[in-house]
Amino acid sequence: VLHFNTERRRCTTAMKGEDKLSFPENLARLQAERGETNYRLAKEIDVSQTSIKNWKESVCHPHPRQVKKLAKHYGVTVDALLKSSDGQ
């Protein structure tokens, strides 16, 4: 189960092993494929660089609005962004 905080500047701490989603890996892969820095991505979707770093390190999860912005930015579905490569 993912936990989201509705405050714009804060995210909810992820508990270790709480889910099997591969959002951090998918985000890092998509970002690397474009050669995109955390700074550039943060500017594009209007979040802080620290938020991007925390999402990629599984420190916390983004708000669903940010997930939608990321999916649109990368031209993928929200499901594709959240799913693990083995389909779980």
Side-chain angles (χ1 to χ4, degrees):
V1 175
L2 288 176
H3 303 279
F4 298 100
N5 188 322
T6 57
E7 293 179 38
R8 184 167 185 261
R9 299 269 181 215
R10 304 182 82 188
C11 59
T12 302
T13 303
M15 297 175 67
K16 297 212 182 293
E18 78 176 12
D19 59 59
K20 302 239 188 245
L21 298 180
S22 293
F23 171 77
E25 293 86 3
N26 292 337
L27 177 58
R29 178 182 49 79
L30 290 165
Q31 198 176 2
E33 286 173 0
R34 285 195 177 188
E36 191 170 49
T37 64
N38 285 356
Y39 174 80
R40 173 53 51 205
L41 179 57
K43 286 293 213 183
E44 290 291 325
I45 66 166
D46 193 30
V47 297
S48 70
Q49 292 179 69
T50 302
S51 292
I52 303 293
K53 178 182 172 286
N54 287 342
W55 299 342
K56 288 171 41 181
E57 293 177 357
S58 296
V59 171
C60 62
H61 301 292
H63 187 278
R65 276 188 301 260
Q66 273 77 40
V67 175
K68 287 179 184 178
K69 284 183 179 182
L70 285 164
K72 183 177 179 181
H73 175 74
Y74 287 117
V76 299
T77 65
V78 169
D79 285 344
L81 191 58
L82 297 177
K83 272 189 173 178
S84 66
S85 58
D86 61 8
Q88 291 184 357

